[in-house]
mmCIF file of all heavy atoms in Angstrom:
data_model
loop_
_atom_site.group_PDB
_atom_site.id
_atom_site.type_symbol
_atom_site.label_atom_id
_atom_site.label_comp_id
_atom_site.label_asym_id
_atom_site.label_seq_id
_atom_site.Cartn_x
_atom_site.Cartn_y
_atom_site.Cartn_z
ATOM 1 N N GLY B 1559 25.282 67.860 -13.402
ATOM 2 C CA GLY B 1559 24.851 66.535 -13.719
ATOM 3 C C GLY B 1559 23.887 66.036 -12.652
ATOM 4 O O GLY B 1559 23.553 66.696 -11.739
ATOM 5 N N CYS B 1560 23.666 64.754 -12.755
ATOM 6 C CA CYS B 1560 22.829 64.009 -11.692
ATOM 7 C C CYS B 1560 23.216 62.513 -11.778
ATOM 8 O O CYS B 1560 23.248 62.017 -12.817
ATOM 9 C CB CYS B 1560 21.396 64.214 -11.978
ATOM 10 S SG CYS B 1560 20.368 63.470 -10.646
ATOM 11 N N PRO B 1561 23.269 61.918 -10.541
ATOM 12 C CA PRO B 1561 23.619 60.477 -10.558
ATOM 13 C C PRO B 1561 22.344 59.539 -10.794
ATOM 14 O O PRO B 1561 22.480 58.391 -11.150
ATOM 15 C CB PRO B 1561 24.177 60.201 -9.147
ATOM 16 C CG PRO B 1561 23.428 61.276 -8.385
ATOM 17 C CD PRO B 1561 23.280 62.447 -9.265
ATOM 18 N N LEU B 1562 21.134 60.184 -10.629
ATOM 19 C CA LEU B 1562 19.922 59.347 -10.748
ATOM 20 C C LEU B 1562 19.578 59.228 -12.344
ATOM 21 O O LEU B 1562 20.029 60.026 -13.100
ATOM 22 C CB LEU B 1562 18.768 60.008 -9.855
ATOM 23 C CG LEU B 1562 19.160 60.183 -8.409
ATOM 24 C CD1 LEU B 1562 17.896 60.629 -7.756
ATOM 25 C CD2 LEU B 1562 19.585 58.903 -7.732
ATOM 26 N N GLN B 1563 18.956 58.140 -12.445
ATOM 27 C CA GLN B 1563 18.757 57.814 -13.932
ATOM 28 C C GLN B 1563 17.327 57.827 -14.410
ATOM 29 O O GLN B 1563 16.866 56.960 -15.117
ATOM 30 C CB GLN B 1563 19.338 56.358 -14.127
ATOM 31 C CG GLN B 1563 20.881 56.269 -13.938
ATOM 32 C CD GLN B 1563 21.638 57.096 -15.132
ATOM 33 O OE1 GLN B 1563 21.236 56.982 -16.222
ATOM 34 N NE2 GLN B 1563 22.486 57.930 -14.737
ATOM 35 N N CYS B 1564 16.561 58.925 -13.999
ATOM 36 C CA CYS B 1564 15.163 59.103 -14.396
ATOM 37 C C CYS B 1564 15.115 59.049 -15.986
ATOM 38 O O CYS B 1564 15.893 59.924 -16.503
ATOM 39 C CB CYS B 1564 14.545 60.394 -13.883
ATOM 40 S SG CYS B 1564 14.826 60.506 -12.055
ATOM 41 N N PHE B 1566 13.155 59.953 -18.119
ATOM 42 C CA PHE B 1566 12.485 61.080 -18.838
ATOM 43 C C PHE B 1566 13.179 62.375 -18.759
ATOM 44 O O PHE B 1566 12.756 63.433 -19.270
ATOM 45 C CB PHE B 1566 11.043 61.303 -18.263
ATOM 46 C CG PHE B 1566 10.921 61.460 -16.795
ATOM 47 C CD1 PHE B 1566 11.300 62.628 -16.207
ATOM 48 C CD2 PHE B 1566 10.714 60.256 -16.002
ATOM 49 C CE1 PHE B 1566 11.221 62.710 -14.852
ATOM 50 C CE2 PHE B 1566 10.634 60.424 -14.589
ATOM 51 C CZ PHE B 1566 10.920 61.589 -14.025
ATOM 52 N N CYS B 1567 14.399 62.339 -18.182
ATOM 53 C CA CYS B 1567 15.168 63.463 -17.795
ATOM 54 C C CYS B 1567 16.515 63.607 -18.597
ATOM 55 O O CYS B 1567 17.211 62.670 -18.509
ATOM 56 C CB CYS B 1567 15.395 63.593 -16.340
ATOM 57 S SG CYS B 1567 16.491 65.009 -15.914
ATOM 58 N N LEU B 1568 16.746 64.758 -19.256
ATOM 59 C CA LEU B 1568 17.979 64.868 -20.041
ATOM 60 C C LEU B 1568 19.195 64.998 -19.139
ATOM 61 O O LEU B 1568 20.252 64.545 -19.472
ATOM 62 C CB LEU B 1568 17.798 66.116 -20.859
ATOM 63 C CG LEU B 1568 18.499 66.098 -22.233
ATOM 64 C CD1 LEU B 1568 18.199 65.004 -23.030
ATOM 65 C CD2 LEU B 1568 18.048 67.445 -22.975
ATOM 66 N N THR B 1569 18.998 65.547 -17.994
ATOM 67 C CA THR B 1569 20.166 65.742 -17.040
ATOM 68 C C THR B 1569 20.772 64.347 -16.735
ATOM 69 O O THR B 1569 21.976 64.392 -16.541
ATOM 70 C CB THR B 1569 19.750 66.427 -15.653
ATOM 71 O OG1 THR B 1569 18.854 67.513 -16.058
ATOM 72 C CG2 THR B 1569 20.912 66.877 -15.006
ATOM 73 N N ALA B 1570 19.947 63.346 -16.638
ATOM 74 C CA ALA B 1570 20.346 62.037 -16.245
ATOM 75 C C ALA B 1570 21.496 61.567 -17.199
ATOM 76 O O ALA B 1570 22.410 60.888 -16.819
ATOM 77 C CB ALA B 1570 19.245 61.024 -16.226
ATOM 78 N N GLY B 1611 16.392 72.285 -10.502
ATOM 79 C CA GLY B 1611 17.331 72.323 -11.600
ATOM 80 C C GLY B 1611 18.016 70.927 -11.762
ATOM 81 O O GLY B 1611 17.540 69.899 -11.341
ATOM 82 N N ALA B 1612 19.273 70.992 -12.231
ATOM 83 C CA ALA B 1612 20.075 69.744 -12.385
ATOM 84 C C ALA B 1612 20.403 69.195 -10.981
ATOM 85 O O ALA B 1612 20.725 69.996 -10.126
ATOM 86 C CB ALA B 1612 21.323 70.087 -13.153
ATOM 87 N N GLY B 1613 20.334 67.915 -10.892
ATOM 88 C CA GLY B 1613 20.844 67.181 -9.660
ATOM 89 C C GLY B 1613 19.654 66.848 -8.738
ATOM 90 O O GLY B 1613 18.553 67.298 -8.782
ATOM 91 N N GLU B 1614 20.059 66.023 -7.814
ATOM 92 C CA GLU B 1614 19.055 65.631 -6.741
ATOM 93 C C GLU B 1614 19.529 66.327 -5.453
ATOM 94 O O GLU B 1614 20.624 66.111 -4.925
ATOM 95 C CB GLU B 1614 19.175 64.067 -6.505
ATOM 96 C CG GLU B 1614 18.544 63.481 -5.225
ATOM 97 C CD GLU B 1614 17.121 63.979 -4.942
ATOM 98 O OE1 GLU B 1614 16.329 63.732 -5.698
ATOM 99 O OE2 GLU B 1614 17.003 64.626 -3.902
ATOM 100 N N ALA B 1647 13.585 63.236 -5.737
ATOM 101 C CA ALA B 1647 13.161 62.055 -6.536
ATOM 102 C C ALA B 1647 12.732 61.001 -5.511
ATOM 103 O O ALA B 1647 12.231 59.962 -5.948
ATOM 104 C CB ALA B 1647 14.248 61.540 -7.448
ATOM 105 N N SER B 1668 8.957 64.119 -6.734
ATOM 106 C CA SER B 1668 8.748 63.863 -8.064
ATOM 107 C C SER B 1668 8.270 62.467 -8.116
ATOM 108 O O SER B 1668 8.934 61.503 -7.718
ATOM 109 C CB SER B 1668 9.980 64.060 -8.983
ATOM 110 O OG SER B 1668 9.836 63.577 -10.107
ATOM 111 N N MET B 1681 11.993 55.819 -12.787
ATOM 112 C CA MET B 1681 12.792 56.343 -11.691
ATOM 113 C C MET B 1681 13.501 55.188 -11.001
ATOM 114 O O MET B 1681 12.940 54.907 -9.916
ATOM 115 C CB MET B 1681 12.057 57.294 -10.873
ATOM 116 C CG MET B 1681 11.334 58.416 -11.553
ATOM 117 S SD MET B 1681 10.414 59.563 -10.397
ATOM 118 C CE MET B 1681 11.734 60.422 -9.629
ATOM 119 N N GLY B 1792 13.280 68.956 -16.677
ATOM 120 C CA GLY B 1792 13.902 67.666 -17.196
ATOM 121 C C GLY B 1792 14.742 67.918 -18.487
ATOM 122 O O GLY B 1792 15.222 66.914 -19.180
HETATM 123 S S1 SF4 O 303 14.544 64.176 -12.783
HETATM 124 FE FE1 SF4 O 303 15.874 65.209 -11.239
HETATM 125 S S2 SF4 O 303 16.629 63.497 -9.968
HETATM 126 FE FE2 SF4 O 303 15.813 62.501 -11.975
HETATM 127 S S3 SF4 O 303 17.693 62.398 -13.250
HETATM 128 FE FE3 SF4 O 303 16.682 64.409 -13.634
HETATM 129 S S4 SF4 O 303 17.746 65.767 -12.323
HETATM 130 FE FE4 SF4 O 303 18.194 63.822 -11.546
#
Side-chain angles (χ1 to χ4, degrees):
C1560 182
L1562 302 185
Q1563 293 294 311
C1564 306
F1566 50 82
C1567 173
L1568 211 52
T1569 315
E1614 164 52 59
S1668 176
M1681 301 183 73

